[in-house]
């Protein structure tokens, strides 16, 4: 749900930026690329995103015994998502910034955020089932939920920063394209 909302927000912002940038800029207007994130800024975001992805991996590894009891398929699914994130991060480091790569990173970070949240909920549900059967809660369950929630929050936070950089990047590209098309008319 968060991913769909963010995609809708991005699409709306890109459409709005396109409409604003469709006008021919005058000589007094600032450079349309001035607000675009620099390679250094994107590199810093990529480094921070990599830290958050690796932190999620560590959290996932530490909660695996409890997570396997709650949802036996979650760990493998999360591992695949982390591998995808690593691939996108490596491509961004190697090839530099692009709208395509930034949107891919944004989507992947949102997926990881959702995975962490779903894992936490699965463990909480396991706790409810355990209590309903009058059994003792699994050891470390509370810590696992807190760690997963913390990972989800961290992934969400870096995702927000990547979203803003992506919008600025796409806005700059749209402004440049609008200038090129206006000059060709």
């Amino acid at each position: 749900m968060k991913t769909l909302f963010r995609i809708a927000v991005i699409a709306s912002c890109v459409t709005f930026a396109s409409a604003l940038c469709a006008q021919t800029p005058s000589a007094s207007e600032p450079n349309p690329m001035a607000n675009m994130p620099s390679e250094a800024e994107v590199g810093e975001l990529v480094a921070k995103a990599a830290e958050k992805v690796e932190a999620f991996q560590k959290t996932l590894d530490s909660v695996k015994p409890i997570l396997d009891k709650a949802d036996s398929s979650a760990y493998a699914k999360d591992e695949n998502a982390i591998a995808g994130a690593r691939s996108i991060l490596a491509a961004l480091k190697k090839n530099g910034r692009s709208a395509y790569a930034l949107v891919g990173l944004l989507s992947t970070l949102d997926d990881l955020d959702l995975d962490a949240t779903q894992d936490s909920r699965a463990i909480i549900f396991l706790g409810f089932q355990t209590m309903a059967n009058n059994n003792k809660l699994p050891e470390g369950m509370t810590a696992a939920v807190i760690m997963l929630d913390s990972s989800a929050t961290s992934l969400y936070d870096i995702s927000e920063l990547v979203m803003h950089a992506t919008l600025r990047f796409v806005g700059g590209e749209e402004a440049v394209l609008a200038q090129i098309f206006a000059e060709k008319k």
Side-chain angles (χ1 to χ4, degrees), residues 52-162:
K52 304 305 181 189
V53 168
E54 294 311 315
F56 179 49
Q57 176 70 64
K58 287 180 182 175
T59 296
L60 198 58
D61 290 341
S62 67
V63 303
K64 185 180 184 313
I66 295 173
L67 183 58
D68 284 345
K69 291 177 186 174
D71 181 353
S72 60
S73 66
Y75 186 85
K77 177 182 62 108
D78 295 348
E79 283 282 303
N80 286 335
I82 288 170
R86 287 177 178 147
S87 175
I88 291 170
L89 290 165
L92 272 162
K93 287 178 187 175
K94 179 182 176 188
N95 303 325
R97 63 193 172 147
S98 74
Y100 183 81
L102 288 170
V103 169
L105 178 60
L106 174 63
S107 177
T108 301
L109 290 171
D110 277 347
D111 288 347
L112 291 175
D113 169 21
L114 183 60
D115 288 347
T117 301
Q118 288 174 337
D119 294 348
S120 177
R121 288 181 184 158
I123 292 172
I124 290 170
F125 186 69
L126 171 67
F128 287 146
Q129 287 177 323
T130 302
M131 289 177 6
N133 293 331
N134 292 323
N135 294 325
K136 185 178 175 187
L137 291 176
E139 188 174 323
M141 187 187 102
T142 303
V145 169
I146 291 169
M147 290 169 63
L148 286 165
D149 184 56
S150 178
S151 286
T153 300
S154 294
L155 289 162
Y156 177 81
D157 290 345
I158 191 63
S159 176
E160 278 289 309
L161 295 174
V162 170

Side-chain angles (χ1 to χ4, degrees), residues 35-37 41-42 45 102 159-171:
N35 197 31
M36 286 183 74
E41 181 182 350
V42 171
L45 286 172
L102 288 170
S159 176
E160 278 289 309
L161 295 174
V162 170
M163 181 186 72
H164 291 292
T166 302
L167 290 173
R168 289 180 23 236
F169 190 87
V170 170

